[in-house]
Amino acid sequence: MAQLPNINENFAEWYNEIVYQSELADLAPVKGCIVIRPYGWAIWENIKTVLDKRIKETGHQNAAFPLLIPESFLKKEASHVEGFSPELAVVTIAGGKKLEEPLVVRPTSETIIHYMFARWLKSYRDLPIKINQWCSVVRWEMRTRPFLRTTEFFWQEGHTAHETLEQAEAEAKMMMQEFVNLAHNYLAIPVITGQKSETEKFAGADKTYTYEAIMQDGKALQMGTSHLISQNFAKVFNMVYQDREGKTAYPHLTSWCGATTRLIGAVIMTHGDQKGLILPPKIAPIQVVIVPIFKSENKEQVLSVAQKIKKDLINCNVSVELDDDENKTPGTKFYHWELRGVPVRIEIGQRDIEKNQAVIADRLGTKNSVNLDQICAEIQKTLDDVQQKLFERAKAKLQSHWFKKAKLTEFVADLDSKGGAYQTGWCQNKECEAKLKEYKATIRCLLPERTFDVCFNCDKKSITDIIVAKAY
Amino acid sequence: MAQLPNINENFAEWYNEIVYQSELADLAPVKGCIVIRPYGWAIWENIKTVLDKRIKETGHQNAAFPLLIPESFLKKEASHVEGFSPELAVVTIAGGKKLEEPLVVRPTSETIIHYMFARWLKSYRDLPIKINQWCSVVRWEMRTRPFLRTTEFFWQEGHTAHETLEQAEAEAKMMMQEFVNLAHNYLAIPVITGQKSETEKFAGADKTYTYEAIMQDGKALQMGTSHLISQNFAKVFNMVYQDREGKTAYPHLTSWCGATTRLIGAVIMTHGDQKGLILPPKIAPIQVVIVPIFKSENKEQVLSVAQKIKKDLINCNVSVELDDDENKTPGTKFYHWELRGVPVRIEIGQRDIEKNQAVIADRLGTKNSVNLDQICAEIQKTLDDVQQKLFERAKAKLQSHWFKKAKLTEFVADLDSKGGAYQTGWCQNKECEAKLKEYKATIRCLLPERTFDVCFNCDKKSITDIIVAKAY
């Protein structure tokens, strides 16, 4: 296994190598696609379990809609087709014959789900409809990177219909709060939330809320979005119902995708270090690895204590691996599991056993001897500590990358050379927004606050603060 | 809601109507595809949870491989391409351009997974590789029916590689046992297991094990299969490794798909009755529905007891729904939940409360008054009872549909008119097997026993017993 590229000098290469070396994913023999290997997929399953529970607790139900969508559906909503048509993969032949109407591999499912909503929705009594689906989608992207942007990626997409605009807006905001909760309390990634500009919003949305994080290299990553969908969708799909007054009405729609396999990339880029991955304990497939340290004369005794520790930890719901491979040195094992970001390592040898102790070493560098009788409680405490420290550390990094600047001229040099998130004012004119293109930067989001009087670019009054950054 | 078609006179129509009326699924606007609605998807999630746990406990790991497969991959293994090419959906355009090599929407993933195995496998130390994936696959079928045969369907596909043929064979058989366990102990469906004939085996397998059930109309349904994959796959994908002697070797492969959304169809057709679905408690999304019976003067009191029961049941992990809709009569509610196959109903009214009782009515017609203080234990017992009774009832039905006959002439009339499973002898010649085509019947499986001396069709010696039936 080659050493990882330097994280400070070559972040992009460091990232790619971590993905492959720690066996999260491998390149697939299809343009822009990856194979998500068991270790990577287990992280995704953990993320999915956390969010799926909350999706259900907030009153949504999972369902499954077809992968293939008639091409004409995509064309019904003008801004939607404009946004997605350059990226579509199209099935033109099926069962040995040319299809009369081509089928698109879903890039997102608004159209087919809205078509079904129209079939199901008759009366205000049928509202709200609150559906979610876990699936993969395909977008033919020019440049791809493992997890961050792949031709096929996995996600959840929630789709809801409501009687009033207020209810729809409350839904879109509530789900954004759930995503922030996932990021903060499970992924240990602090985020910035706000609204997308007209230019950056979802193709077919009236409003898009977003949550964004700043990676260690100072670039922003859009983690997920929640949309108030244009009522135009309800109209083109003829989604009419009888309202409380007996009149025909159109529902108000939302869609939201807060979790995609991109989040695995966010975890890598937020927490990783020169030794490799660092996984937040709450989503780590392996939370604890036990490395027994023995010679042939005490092997049996050390292994039996190690097995006992493993059993104890399983009993208190810790996900644990015992690395008892006799062909590897402890040092090789340390390296192996550090690369894979296992949050806590237990070292146990003859001398530890004599003192009824084990050494707990966390992935952030803290090492302690603990009494074997308290091993479960100590491990739980250490896991909680690591989770907390990762969040605090990431929060400090975010703050150090977050600058307040009144004018573009003041931050353009730094933006270009070091990245970072620049909070500034904006007049909400597209011309000023377009100016950022020259520096390959974008408005990541509009903030709900207004702390600047004047636009970052022109002399007009600022309407709201924004975050400007280069993004993945 | 229209009444269900007569289950005895028109089983096919009865089936379709149940699917739509109980809101398990709806037709999608894509040929042969369905939308699996929340109630149907919740059954699938329950099946998935049960089997996924066992897949992991037996040493497999989940992963995710691309949906799109280069067309050339399918062509590498001659029998595989022959089996699947008539059914393929092909992406020829992506990102606005004609693709140089078309991509096939996976009909199954052997080829792309074997390609990756070849990348990963270097030494005997890398074996076994034991991977599983939950996904959907697409096969362009001529005739489709909801759940039973749809263009897109959901499944798991396990793929493994082993050092020896014996290990591979043991793996294929072990997973078949897991599927039988799922069928018997969760779906309450008794099954027949055996090996497929050369004609009926998987396109690219050396051996295919199958588990089959007989539906209420006497037709067989293939529930799932487990294959010993031809080593030819290892060869065409150049899957070589260094064995224990330092020589190059090819691994022995298996694949198995024991759970597909077809199992939902099997549950409907095995247990349903004239009133609708009957769901085995262990996979029922709603195990218990509480129907409070009140007038305006005692509404508050009855509802508060009903809510208390609901809370108690949730606390003992019962999945429960309280139907407190004031605009529906209890009778309407009974009908609604019976149609949806909820295994147990609790009725609670003023007089029950006065006696500190509730009425437990199970979906099979048994009704009892139970003490409210014992509600959890009583419900648990009733759920277990229903689960057990459903299996016993289905087993009795299977036995009544399972006949032993020496010659085709003895059973061909019944096979044609009433269906059923006919155990008989076979010489293992394809000509005799082909004879069954005239009656639209097939050999469902070869049994491990031999109780007949002579072939069902010719005068040659029988090599093994077989099961002959018409199948879905």
Side-chain angles (χ1 to χ4, degrees), chain A residues 26-27 30 36-38 41 45 56 62-64 66-68 86 88 90-95 116 119-120 140 152, chain B residues 26-27 30 36-38 41 45 56 62-64 66-68 86 88 90-95 116 119-120 140 152:
Chain A
D26 202 351
L27 280 175
V30 184
I36 304 185
R37 300 184 72 172
W41 192 252
E45 285 188 346
K56 286 170 177 162
N62 288 337
L67 165 72
L68 301 174
L88 299 176
V90 189
V91 173
T92 59
I93 297 169
M116 297 308 296
R119 278 177 64 116
W120 298 333
W140 214 258
E152 181 188 9
Chain B
D26 203 350
L27 281 175
V30 184
I36 305 185
R37 300 183 72 172
W41 192 252
E45 285 189 346
K56 286 171 177 161
N62 288 337
L67 166 71
L68 301 174
L88 298 176
V90 189
V91 172
T92 60
I93 297 169
M116 297 308 295
R119 277 178 65 116
W120 297 334
W140 213 258
E152 181 187 9

Side-chain angles (χ1 to χ4, degrees), chain A residues 320-366:
Chain A
V320 56
E321 184 99 8
L322 167 59
D323 189 349
D324 56 7
D325 189 335
E326 296 182 29
N327 297 312
K328 284 186 193 160
T329 64
T332 308
K333 292 177 187 178
F334 292 179
Y335 177 86
H336 178 92
W337 297 109
E338 280 170 354
L339 174 65
R340 280 159 184 75
V342 173
V344 176
R345 177 178 75 223
I346 297 178
E347 303 165 19
I348 179 94
Q350 182 73 36
R351 259 183 292 178
D352 301 305
I353 294 172
E354 280 159 16
K355 289 187 263 177
N356 196 36
Q357 287 185 342
V359 174
I360 295 184
D362 77 29
R363 183 60 180 77
L364 300 174
T366 305

Side-chain angles (χ1 to χ4, degrees), chain A residues 253-317:
Chain A
L253 306 167
T254 82
S255 74
W256 31 270
C257 38
T260 74
T261 31
R262 161 175 271 205
L263 294 186
I264 299 173
V267 167
I268 301 169
M269 292 199 297
T270 300
H271 301 303
D273 66 9
Q274 194 55 51
K275 289 180 179 175
L277 267 181
I278 302 181
L279 293 178
K282 286 196 188 170
I283 57 146
I286 302 168
Q287 296 174 307
V288 173
V289 62
I290 306 170
V291 179
I293 295 160
F294 54 81
K295 295 180 180 152
S296 52
E297 63 267 25
N298 58 17
K299 183 180 120 185
E300 237 172 85
Q301 193 201 357
V302 173
L303 278 184
S304 101
V305 175
Q307 270 145 8
K308 165 88 168 58
I309 297 173
K310 181 180 174 181
K311 221 175 121 187
D312 288 349
L313 291 177
I314 289 172
N315 283 338
C316 47
N317 287 321

